[in-house]
C-alpha cells in the first residue's frame, strides 16, 4: 500500500503531479541537507581549534608602576587589562547581559529565539536589528573579520557552537569582557573604565557601567569622548534594559539616569608624570625581551614613590616657570588670520589649537583683541577669557605700540596662558630652558623621584642620566673630602687671594680664576670658604693635595676619570657629570661613606602578578665602602654649615630642620646652576640650564636662586613626617672647641694654614703639593683667557 496520501477530489493527472512535486521536494530537501551537511563538514574542518581559549592570553601591554602601585606608563598597540571573571563587578555583568545577550546563560551559543525576534522586528519596523550572542561576538572578535557575508555568519555560528562545547559560560563571558574593543585605544572593560573614568572596574557606578556597556555597538563614533550625545542616548537605553530585566529597581534606574558622569581629563593636573622613567623602563624591557615586551603583559615596578615623584615634577616645573617669568617675553608662538563669522572663527580656533596642544597647565589660546590694559583670548570651548592687571606683566612690552611685529600681541596671536587663583589668568610662555631633578634613598640607592626635563612631549632627552654638564661649585665637597685625607681640617686657614697661572704653569693658556662676586676676603678657614663657595681657596687646596690625587679620589664616588681631567680647574667643577652621578656621589656622604648604585627597577611580574625577576637592594657592608666613615662625618659637618650659614641658608630657613646638608653650584657665566643636598634618608639634586649652553638671564642666575628653590620645594613634601636625624660620631674623630677633626689631625697636628700671611706660602714641608701661583703683572692680565668660558 502506498505511503503517499490519496486525493479523492483531484483528477488522476492532478494527483500524479502532486505526488511528483512531493517526491521532488523531498529529494531536494535531502540534497540540500546532504549539501548542507557536506558544507558544514568542510567548514568545520577549517575552523580553528578553540581549545586554546581555555587559557585565554590576549595581547597585553607593558605597564610601568611606582613602588606604591601608581601607573606611570603603558606601552603596546592595545590598551588592555586582563581581569578574571570573579573580579568583574556584578553591576557591569548585569549591564552587558541586559543590552547584549539577556539569554546568554540559556542558549547554546546561537539563540534561535533571538534570531526569530530580530527577524520579526526587522520585517515590522524595517530596521537592521542583530541577533549575535555574546558567544558569537567572541568568535568574531577572536577569529573572524567583521564583514557582513553569509559565509562569515555561518563560520561565526559554527564557531559559537564549538566554543559552547569547549568552554564554560563564565569563561566565554570573561573573554568577551576582556577582548571587546570599546574605543579610545581601549580593549576590554577594565581598560575602558580607566580610560574614560580613571577608575578600576570595582568602583563603577550603575550609570558608569551602563555607559561602558553601551560602547560595543559603536565604540569609535559612540563613545562619550567623540560623541557624548550619542553615548548618553545609548547609556539611557542600557539603564532601561537593566530595569526591564530586573537587574536594578526603578529607583536605581532613576538615580542612574540622573547621575552626572565625570570623564577622565587627559590633561588632568592630578596625573602622575614620570614619562622619562617609563621610557627608561621600556628601553630596558625591549632590550631584554624584544618586541614581545609589548604583548606579554609584563608589569614593571619601579622604586619611585608617587607622592615624591609628583612633588619633584611640580617643583621643577614651578622653578623653571618662576625663572621664565623673569625673562623677556619672546612673543606669540604663531599668528593666524581670524574670520569674523562666528562659525568659521570656532573652526579656525579649533584647527590652530590642535596644532598647539596644551602643555600641562600651560594652555594655548588665540587672542581676539589686545590693548595695553586688557587682552581677550579664546580656547577650544569658545568662551572668551579676559586677562588684565598682573596677568599681563610678562607681556607688557608686547602690548606697546612700539613692539616689533614678531612680538606684538594682536588679534590672531597664539599665546600661552595659565590659570591662577580665583579663576584669574596670566600670560606666560613655553620655556626654552631645561632642567632635571633626581632623588634617591642613600641607604640602598632606590630612586624615589626622577624628572628628566620640563616636559617629556616637548623634549624626550633625559637630562638626569644623559646630560653631561659642568657641576661648578657643587663639585667642591669632593675636593675637600680628598683634602681631609691629606691633613686638612675644617679649621685649616687658606688665603682667599688672587691667583694667576701663566701658560708655562698650565701647559696651555694662562688662567686667572676669580670668585663669583669678584672680591677676595683674605685668610679664612676651610669651613668658611665652603660656606661662601670661595674659588681661590678651592684652587689652593687642590694645588696643595695635587690634582692627580684628587682625580683618583673622586672615582670613589663614581665619577669618571676621563671626564674630570687632573687639572686645577677641576677644583671649580670644570669636568663633566650627570645629575644622577651627582646624586649617587652625594649619597656617599649621606650614608656614612658607602657607594650605592642607583636602583630604578625593583621587580618584574607577568600579567597574573607572578614575580619573574626581583632586584634586592645590596647590603651596606664594608665591601661597599667608598670613603672612611670619619671622612663622610666631617664632610657632613661642613655641608651642614653651608645650609645653616652659607649659600644654602634659604633652604634651612624654609624647612626648619637641622639635619640638612648640601652645596650650591654655579658655573662660569651662569651656564649651569645646581643644588645637591640631602637629609640622611633622601638625596636630591636639581640642575637647570639650556641644552645649548648659554647664560641664564641677563644678570646671571645662581644655584641659590634657581636650583635651590626646586630642591627646597621637593624636600618640603619628601620630608613630611620624617624625624630629624641625630648624627652619631664614628670612630676616629674628636671634637675640639665645637669643631670635629680626624683624631690624628687634631689641632697642633694637621695643616694650620695655606698662603695665609700676605699671600705667601707656609713652609714647603707642610704642604702636600707644589707652590701656589703668583700674582699676575698688568701685562699678563691682558692675555688671560678664562678656562670656563
Amino acid at each position: 500500500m502506498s505511503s503517499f496520501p490519496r486525493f479523492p477530489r483531484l483528477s488522476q493527472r492532478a494527483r500524479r503531479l502532486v505526488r511528483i512535486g512531493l517526491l521532488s521536494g523531498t529529494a531536494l530537501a535531502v540534497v540540500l541537507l546532504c549539501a548542507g551537511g557536506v558544507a558544514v563538514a568542510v567548514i568545520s574542518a577549517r575552523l580553528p581549534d578553540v581549545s586554546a581559549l581555555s587559557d585565554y592570553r590576549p595581547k597585553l601591554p607593558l605597564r610601568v608602576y611606582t613602588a606604591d602601585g601608581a601607573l606611570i606608563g603603558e606601552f603596546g598597540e592595545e590598551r588592555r587589562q586582563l581581569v578574571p571573571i570573579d573580579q568583574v563587578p556584578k553591576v557591569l555583568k548585569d549591564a552587558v547581559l541586559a543590552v547584549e545577550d539577556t539569554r546568554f546563560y540559556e542558549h547554546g551559543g546561537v539563540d534561535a529565539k533571538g534570531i526569530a525576534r530580530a527577524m520579526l522586528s526587522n520585517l515590522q519596523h524595517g530596521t537592521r536589528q542583530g541577533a549575535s550572542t555574546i558567544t558569537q561576538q567572541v568568535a568574531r572578535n577572536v577569529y573572524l573579520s567583521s564583514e557582513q557575508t553569509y559565509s562569515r555568519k555561518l563560520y561565526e555560528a559554527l564557531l559559537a557552537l564549538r566554543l559552547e562545547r569547549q568552554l564554560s559560560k563564565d569563561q566565554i563571558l570573561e573573554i568577551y569582557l576582556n577582548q571587546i574593543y570599546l574605543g579610545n585605544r581601549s580593549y576590554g572593560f577594565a581598560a575602558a573604565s580607566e580610560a574614560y573614568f580613571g577608575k578600576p572596574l570595582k568602583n563603577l557606578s550603575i550609570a558608569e557601567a551602563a555607559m561602558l556597556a553601551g560602547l560595543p555597538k559603536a565604540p569609535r563614533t559612540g563613545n562619550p569622548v567623540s560623541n557624548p550625545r550619542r553615548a548618553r542616548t545609548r547609556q539611557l537605553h542600557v539603564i532601561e534594559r537593566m530595569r526591564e530585566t530586573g537587574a536594578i529597581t526603578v529607583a536605581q534606574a532613576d538615580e542612574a539616569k540622573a547621575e552626572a558622569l565625570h570623564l577622565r581629563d587627559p590633561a588632568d593636573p592630578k596625573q602622575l608624570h614620570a614619562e622619562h622613567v617609563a621610557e627608561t623602563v621600556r628601553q630596558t624591557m625591549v632590550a631584554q625581551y624584544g618586541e614581545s615586551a609589548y604583548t606579554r603583559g609584563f608589569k614593571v615596578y619601579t622604586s619611585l614613590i608617587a607622592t615624591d615623584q609628583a612633588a619633584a615634577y611640580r617643583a621643577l616645573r614651578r622653578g623653571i616657570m618662576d625663572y621664565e617669568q623673569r625673562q623677556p617675553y619672546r612673543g606669540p608662538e604663531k599668528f593666524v588670520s581670524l574670520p569674523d563669522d562666528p562659525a568659521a572663527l570656532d573652526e579656525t580656533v579649533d584647527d590652530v589649537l590642535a596644532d598647539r596642544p596644551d602643555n600641562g597647565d600651560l594652555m594655548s589660546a588665540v587672542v581676539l583683541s589686545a590693548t595695553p590694559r586688557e587682552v581677550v583670548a579664546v580656547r577650544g570651548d569658545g568662551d572668551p577669557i579676559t586677562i588684565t592687571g598682573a596677568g599681563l606683566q610678562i607681556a607688557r612690552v608686547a602690548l606697546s605700540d612700539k613692539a616689533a611685529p614678531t612680538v606684538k600681541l594682536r588679534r590672531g596671536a597664539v599665546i600661552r596662558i595659565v590659570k591662577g587663583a580665583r579663576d584669574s589668568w596670566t600670560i606666560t610662555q613655553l620655556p626654552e630652558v631645561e632642567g632635571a631633578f633626581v632623588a634617591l634613598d642613600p641607604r640602598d640607592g632606590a630612586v624615589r623621584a626622577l624628572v628628566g626635563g620640563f616636559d617629556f612631549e616637548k623634549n624626550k632627552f633625559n637630562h638626569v642620566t644623559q646630560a653631561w654638564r659642568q657641576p661648578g661649585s657643587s663639585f667642591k665637597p669632593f675636593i675637600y673630602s680628598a683634602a681631609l685625607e691629606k691633613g686638612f681640617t675644617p679649621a685649616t686657614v687658606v688665603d682667599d687671594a688672587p691667583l694667576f697661572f701663566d701658560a708655562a704653569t698650565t701647559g696651555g693658556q694662562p688662567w686667572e680664576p676669580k670668585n663669583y662676586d669678584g672680591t677676595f676676603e683674605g685668610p679664612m678657614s676651610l669651613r668658611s670658604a665652603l660656606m661662601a663657595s670661595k674659588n681661590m681657596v678651592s684652587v689652593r687646596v687642590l694645588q696643595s693635595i695635587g690634582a692627580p690625587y684628587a682625580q683618583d679620589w673622586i672615582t670613589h664616588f663614581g665619577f669618571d676619570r676621563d671626564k674630570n681631567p687632573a687639572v686645577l680647574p677641576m677644583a671649580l667643577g670644570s669636568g663633566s657629570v650627570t645629575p644622577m652621578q651627582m646624586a649617587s656621589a652625594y649619597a656617599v656622604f649621606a650614608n656614612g661613606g658607602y657607594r650605592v648604585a642607583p636602583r630604578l627597577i625593583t621587580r618584574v611580574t607577568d600579567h597574573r602578578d607572578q614575580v619573574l625577576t626581583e632586584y634586592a637592594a645590596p647590603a651596606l657592608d664594608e665591601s661597599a665602602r667608598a670613603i672612611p666613615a670619619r671622612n663622610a662625618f666631617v664632610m657632613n659637618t661642613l655641608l651642614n654649615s653651608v645650609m645653616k650659614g652659607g649659600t644654602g641658608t634659604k633652604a634651612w630657613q624654609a624647612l626648619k630642620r637641622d639635619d640638612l646638608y648640601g652645596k650650591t653650584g654655579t658655573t662660569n657665566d651662569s651656564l649651569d646652576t645646581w643644588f645637591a643636598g640631602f637629609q640622611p634618608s633622601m638625596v636630591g639634586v636639581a640642575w637647570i640650564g639650556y641644552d645649548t649652553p648659554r647664560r641664564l638671564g641677563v644678570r646671571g642666575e645662581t644655584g641659590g636662586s634657581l636650583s635651590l628653590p626646586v630642591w627646597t620645594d621637593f624636600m618640603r613634601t619628601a620630608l613630611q613626617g620624617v624625624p630629624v636625624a641625630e648624627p652619631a660620631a664614628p670612630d676616629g674623630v674628636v671634637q675640639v672647641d665645637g669643631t670635629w677633626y680626624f683624631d690624628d689631625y687634631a689641632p697642633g697636628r694637621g695643616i694650620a694654614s695655606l698662603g695665609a700671611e700676605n699671600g705667601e706660602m707656609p713652609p714647603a714641608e707642610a704642604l702636600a703639593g707644589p707652590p701656589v701661583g703668583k700674582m699676575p703683572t698688568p701685562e699678563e692680565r691682558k692675555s688671560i683667557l678664562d678656562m670656563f668660558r
Side-chain angles (χ1 to χ4, degrees):
M1 187 176 180
S2 174
S3 60
F4 290 102
R6 295 182 178 275
F7 303 95
R9 296 183 182 180
L10 297 178
S11 65
Q12 184 175 359
R13 177 181 174 80
R15 287 196 299 271
R16 186 181 304 114
L17 290 175
V18 170
R19 289 191 181 98
I20 292 173
L22 289 173
L23 285 170
S24 299
T26 302
L28 180 61
V30 171
V31 170
L32 289 176
L33 285 173
C34 291
V38 171
V40 169
V42 171
I43 292 176
S44 296
R46 296 177 180 176
L47 291 178
D49 181 10
V50 299
S51 61
L53 280 184
S54 59
D55 185 20
Y56 173 61
R57 294 184 182 182
K59 291 182 179 180
L60 297 175
L62 168 67
R63 287 191 174 86
V64 186
Y65 297 89
T66 64
D68 41 354
L71 180 67
I72 59 175
E74 189 174 47
F75 303 95
E77 295 179 4
E78 302 174 356
R79 181 186 289 136
R80 190 197 303 275
Q81 298 178 37
L82 182 58
V83 179
I85 190 65
D86 57 359
Q87 295 179 22
V88 177
K90 183 177 183 298
V91 65
L92 179 63
K93 289 188 282 189
D94 288 342
V96 169
L97 294 177
V99 73
E100 291 294 330
D101 193 351
T102 54
R103 286 173 30 80
F104 173 70
Y105 282 98
E106 300 169 22
H107 62 66
V110 178
D111 188 3
K113 291 184 179 179
I115 293 173
R117 184 172 58 250
M119 291 177 61
L120 181 62
S121 176
N122 293 343
L123 290 172
Q124 291 177 338
H125 306 293
T127 61
R128 294 188 61 187
Q129 181 176 325
S132 290
T133 65
I134 282 178
T135 312
Q136 288 175 272
Q137 292 185 59
V138 168
R140 180 168 65 245
N141 276 283
V142 175
Y143 295 109
L144 305 173
S145 69
S146 57
E147 62 176 344
Q148 297 292 325
T149 63
Y150 289 111
S151 61
R152 202 274 296 159
K153 283 286 188 182
L154 180 57
Y155 271 98
E156 179 184 295
L158 293 175
L159 271 174
L161 295 173
R162 181 170 290 187
L163 283 171
E164 291 278 349
R165 290 196 301 270
Q166 294 278 352
L167 306 177
S168 69
K169 286 288 187 179
D170 280 350
Q171 284 178 305
I172 294 171
L173 184 58
E174 178 181 293
I175 295 170
Y176 176 83
L177 295 174
N178 285 284
Q179 180 74 21
I180 194 74
Y181 179 64
L182 298 170
N184 204 18
R185 283 186 56 235
S186 300
Y187 290 79
F189 284 89
S193 180
E194 292 286 355
Y196 293 114
F197 301 118
K199 60 171 63 175
L201 284 181
K202 63 181 180 180
N203 295 337
L204 288 177
S205 66
I206 294 174
E208 291 165 338
M211 177 66 78
L212 295 182
L215 295 179
K217 185 175 183 181
R220 288 180 174 83
T221 60
N223 69 66
V225 173
S226 62
N227 197 327
R229 188 173 303 171
R230 183 183 297 178
R232 171 63 171 167
T233 300
R234 183 68 174 160
Q235 178 210 29
L236 294 177
H237 170 67
V238 175
I239 293 173
E240 191 59 27
R241 286 291 299 142
M242 293 177 74
R243 183 196 62 77
E244 291 173 358
T245 60
I248 59 175
T249 65
V250 174
Q252 287 175 315
D254 292 341
E255 184 180 348
K257 291 176 182 178
E259 180 181 328
L261 297 186
H262 301 285
L263 296 180
R264 179 181 184 178
D265 182 1
D268 184 358
K270 297 180 180 179
Q271 178 185 348
L272 185 62
H273 290 277
E275 291 87 351
H276 287 93
V277 173
E279 173 61 14
T280 299
V281 171
R282 182 195 70 79
Q283 293 177 13
T284 301
M285 294 297 290
V286 171
Q288 184 171 355
Y289 294 98
E291 293 300 307
S292 68
Y294 298 127
T295 60
R296 293 174 59 181
F298 291 126
K299 296 179 182 180
V300 183
Y301 292 87
T302 66
S303 55
L304 297 187
I305 301 297
T307 53
D308 290 345
Q309 180 66 26
Y313 179 79
R314 289 193 306 268
L316 183 63
R317 282 183 70 95
R318 185 180 294 121
I320 288 177
M321 290 312 300
D322 286 347
Y323 165 79
E324 198 61 50
Q325 289 296 110
R326 300 194 290 269
Q327 306 312 304
Y329 187 57
R330 295 183 291 275
E333 296 179 18
K334 185 179 181 180
F335 293 96
V336 295
S337 178
L338 297 181
D340 294 326
D341 178 67
L345 174 63
D346 289 345
E347 186 174 344
T348 300
V349 169
D350 287 344
D351 291 342
V352 170
L353 298 185
D355 292 335
R356 290 288 192 278
D358 293 344
N359 185 292
D361 56 348
L362 306 184
M363 305 178 190
S364 54
V366 180
V367 173
L368 299 179
S369 63
T371 70
R373 293 179 175 273
E374 178 183 276
V375 171
V376 178
V378 65
R379 284 183 38 77
D381 58 10
D383 295 332
I385 295 170
T386 301
I387 309 167
T388 59
L392 302 175
Q393 185 60 41
I394 193 175
R396 292 288 183 193
V397 65
L399 294 169
S400 168
D401 292 336
K402 299 179 180 180
T406 57
V407 175
K408 187 173 178 58
L409 282 183
R410 59 184 184 271
R411 181 176 172 85
V414 181
I415 62 174
R416 294 284 166 171
I417 57 177
V418 61
K419 193 173 186 178
R422 299 178 182 177
D423 292 334
S424 62
W425 292 90
T426 298
I427 294 177
T428 186
Q429 57 189 345
L430 280 175
E432 294 180 346
V433 74
E434 270 296 351
F437 186 88
V438 59
L440 57 81
D441 189 328
R443 297 164 294 189
D444 61 5
V447 177
R448 297 307 188 190
L450 188 157
V451 185
F454 179 79
D455 182 81
F456 181 77
E457 295 303 321
K458 176 173 171 281
N459 188 347
K460 293 178 171 56
F461 186 76
N462 189 339
H463 296 84
V464 168
T465 59
Q466 296 176 296
W468 292 92
R469 306 298 290 240
Q470 288 187 340
S473 296
S474 63
F475 198 76
K476 289 176 181 175
F478 307 106
I479 304 301
Y480 278 47
S481 172
L484 293 180
E485 295 300 308
K486 284 290 190 177
F488 282 78
T489 75
T492 299
V493 175
V494 183
D495 196 10
D496 176 33
L499 285 169
F500 174 75
F501 301 91
D502 58 24
T505 303
T506 64
Q509 295 176 332
W511 178 45
E512 185 181 24
K514 299 175 181 178
N515 288 322
Y516 179 80
D517 59 5
T519 66
F520 305 95
E521 297 185 20
M524 61 174 53
S525 69
L526 219 61
R527 183 183 301 279
S528 297
L530 189 62
M531 290 169 64
S533 198
K534 292 296 184 178
N535 290 342
M536 301 303 99
V537 173
S538 295
V539 173
R540 279 190 163 89
V541 168
L542 180 58
Q543 190 181 28
S544 176
I545 67 175
Y549 172 77
Q551 186 189 42
D552 287 338
W553 186 256
I554 65 170
T555 62
H556 297 174
F557 296 88
F559 294 116
D560 296 340
R561 179 189 299 272
D562 60 342
K563 292 187 179 296
N564 295 275
V567 293
L568 290 179
M570 179 173 63
L572 310 184
S574 63
S576 296
V577 302
T578 67
M580 183 66 89
Q581 276 190 333
M582 289 292 279
S584 59
Y586 269 81
V588 175
F589 293 138
N591 64 29
Y594 298 99
R595 175 85 179 275
V596 291
R599 298 170 55 246
L600 186 58
I601 297 177
T602 58
R603 74 180 188 277
V604 179
T605 73
D606 63 16
H607 69 279
R608 298 187 186 277
D609 295 322
Q610 298 298 310
V611 176
L612 303 177
T613 310
E614 194 154 16
Y615 301 92
L620 285 187
D621 53 30
E622 289 308 303
S623 66
R625 173 137 330 258
I627 62 174
R630 67 177 189 173
N631 187 296
F633 179 80
V634 173
M635 278 305 307
N636 287 355
T637 68
L638 294 173
L639 293 172
N640 187 244
S641 295
V642 172
M643 301 300 288
K644 290 184 175 179
T647 56
T649 302
K650 288 184 178 179
W652 179 68
Q653 293 172 339
L655 299 176
K656 298 178 172 59
R657 299 178 65 105
D658 288 334
D659 58 345
L660 302 178
Y661 312 81
K663 182 70 184 73
T664 53
T666 308
T667 62
N668 193 63
D669 285 336
S670 296
L671 302 184
D672 299 271
T673 70
W674 295 77
F675 187 81
F678 59 89
Q679 189 272 349
S681 66
M682 186 75 75
V683 175
V685 173
W687 166 84
I688 292 177
Y690 288 97
D691 279 340
T692 301
R694 70 175 194 255
R695 190 178 181 87
L696 287 161
V698 177
R699 293 185 299 275
E701 299 271 358
T702 67
S705 67
L706 259 184
S707 298
L708 178 63
V710 174
W711 186 90
T712 305
D713 203 357
F714 168 79
M715 286 294 183
R716 185 176 287 110
T717 296
L719 297 181
Q720 282 184 0
V722 177
V724 174
E726 297 289 343
D731 294 336
V733 296
V734 294
Q735 189 176 37
V736 179
D737 296 330
T739 297
W740 288 96
Y741 302 85
F742 291 0
D743 54 8
D744 46 347
Y745 294 144
R749 291 178 156 184
I751 296 175
S753 64
L754 185 57
E757 297 180 5
N758 298 321
E760 297 182 359
M761 295 293 298
E765 59 269 18
L767 299 176
V772 296
K774 60 182 179 179
M775 289 290 292
T777 66
E779 292 76 18
E780 289 172 326
R781 287 182 183 275
K782 294 179 182 179
S783 63
I784 292 171
L785 178 64
D786 192 332
M787 293 181 68
F788 297 114
R789 193 172 298 281

